Amino acid sequence: MKETQNRMTLTGAFLLVIVCFLWGANVVSIRISNQGIPPLLAATLRSILAAVLLALYARAKGQAFLMPGGERIHGMVIGFLFGMDFLFLYWGIAFTTASRSTIFLYTHPFWVALGAHFVLHDDRMSPAKGSGLLLAFAGMVFVFRSGIGQLPEGYWIGDLMEVVAAIFWGATTLYIKRVASSRPIDHYQTLFAQLFYSI
């Protein structure tokens, strides 16, 4: 029994490392693709391919992937927010480095926590949570103030665009949390709406 649990723990840890690698490689692959494909075209192609694959997968599992008629306006809002996230993500990487893009993009939890205080009634900011967020944000700013001399010209444009991408990503998360919790919408429909309407 204990050996099986250890094996499952190791397998879970290995899969988590792979997921982290893929998430980290995401921005690097976008940076590479930007050299041969215009950023907006690459983002559009990514959403089209992902939407088709998700629709095929959902259909094979017998799951609905289109939102019910009365909920499609929410799908459009989710898709718009997600599309803006990808617009700034892909375009911003053309101006700054992949490592900076990754860090600024992953300020997403900061914006979600901040926005949740105002949007979600059961997720208020506490003094401890607020202090932790401010310290994390200050640490990120401090780390990335160093080494500015080696950065490409106009890097701050890309940095700012990645922060805007993170804000739109956070807005997408908050909107989905608020809408999906009170409506008959599942994760297939939410993800498909993100991909389809972002195109």
Side-chain angles (χ1 to χ4, degrees), residues 12 19 28 33-34 40 48 68 92 120 134 137 150 163:
V19 167
V28 175
S33 74
N34 277 355
L40 301 184
I48 290 170
L120 304 176
L134 285 175
F137 197 75
Q150 297 89 23
V163 171

Side-chain angles (χ1 to χ4, degrees), residues 151-163:
L151 294 172
E153 187 178 344
Y155 73 91
W156 62 271
I157 297 170
D159 292 352
L160 185 60
M161 290 175 91
E162 296 304 329
V163 171

Side-chain angles (χ1 to χ4, degrees), residues 15-25:
L15 291 174
L16 187 58
V17 168
I18 289 176
V19 167
C20 290
F21 171 78
L22 291 173
W23 283 345

Side-chain angles (χ1 to χ4, degrees), residues 39-127:
L40 301 184
L41 177 60
T44 303
L45 291 174
R46 177 179 174 166
S47 286
I48 290 170
L49 178 63
V52 169
L53 292 174
L54 177 63
L56 292 172
Y57 179 76
R59 184 173 290 257
K61 292 200 66 150
Q63 298 287 333
F65 57 88
L66 295 174
M67 285 195 174
E71 307 297 340
R72 292 214 176 114
I73 187 68
H74 296 297
M76 291 178 193
V77 172
I78 291 167
F80 170 77
L81 293 171
F82 185 73
M84 294 303 289
D85 166 21
F86 267 49
L87 168 72
F88 285 102
L89 167 62
Y90 272 76
W91 203 0
I93 293 175
F95 294 95
T96 191
T97 63
S99 59
R100 291 176 73 89
S101 295
T102 301
I103 297 298
F104 285 118
L105 179 64
Y106 284 99
T107 61
H108 161 260
F110 177 86
W111 304 113
V112 171
L114 189 63
H117 178 76
F118 299 101
V119 177
L120 304 176
H121 300 297
D122 58 345
D123 200 350
R124 298 291 183 199
M125 186 74 68
S126 66

